[in-house]
Amino acid sequence: MKNNSMASLISAKDLKKVYRNEEVETVALKEATFEIDPGEFVAIMGPSGSGKSTLMHIVGFLDKPTEGTYKFKGTDINESTEDQMAAFRNKEIGFVFQSFNLLPRTSVLDNVKLPLMYSEVPTGKQKDMALAAIKAVGLEHRAEFLSNQLSGGEKQRVAIARALVNDPDLILADEPTGNLDSKSGGQIMKILQDLNSKGKTIIIVTHEQDTAEHARRILKIKDGSVYQDIKIKQKAIKEGEELKK
């Protein structure tokens, strides 16, 4: 594990998360420790029930750990209020979900603009920012289409554009290829690689080894603990190449 915490975007130490339901306690995370620097592309990989989604929620300011420390840009999440966490989520992090989470019967443009409605961006600039994000994922020709008129791969590209629109420092993608065919999955991973090459920090959660190998580093999690931290040579995706399933 890395030690240069001053340079880290994310610093997690001995994270533990316990869920309590009446008399039953479920330990979802225990002693999870790692650091991620700006500009990295990291895959968090593990089987179902390993704790990777819980870890994603903490990293994305959707939840707090029961024990341990999680710092983002040096700010300790345990010392943050709910309002401060919400501000971090909106300004610093872009979320991409397996199920896309787009508004139905709403245009691509309006879906991508959505995060800007909760920001301090002037209304007059919102359309231009949304169109720039849509162009970044190659969907400018679909800007006025409704979300339910799009293919699965196109929906995920819209979700990435929405995650980009606030120019966040971190993009979190939860099983971004999970609902896609091989060709569409390959296109999504190529977009994420391109964004990383332009300086975006990317973290994906996946249970698929082949998908994880498109990152530059894999954190393997099992039974709530990070047990492997592997640097890898990123698998390149050429134009038209498919992502194997």
Side-chain angles (χ1 to χ4, degrees), residues 170-189:
L170 173 64
I171 294 176
L172 290 178
D174 190 2
E175 300 282 6
T177 64
N179 281 341
L180 304 178
D181 60 34
S182 295
K183 183 177 180 180
S184 298
Q187 291 171 342
I188 294 306
M189 295 312 298

Side-chain angles (χ1 to χ4, degrees), residues 57-110:
H57 287 164
I58 292 173
V59 169
F61 294 94
L62 294 167
D63 203 356
K64 290 185 177 183
T66 307
E67 296 177 15
T69 57
Y70 167 50
K71 293 183 179 180
F72 184 88
K73 292 186 175 180
T75 298
D76 191 334
I77 188 176
N78 282 331
E79 297 173 359
S80 302
T81 65
E82 290 297 322
D83 285 346
Q84 288 170 331
M85 288 173 68
F88 265 116
R89 285 195 299 271
N90 195 45
K91 293 180 181 178
E92 305 280 2
I93 298 175
F95 293 92
V96 180
F97 300 97
Q98 178 179 354
S99 55
F100 318 131
N101 288 9
L102 301 181
L103 296 176
R105 296 179 297 280
T106 303
S107 72
V108 167
L109 179 62
D110 285 341

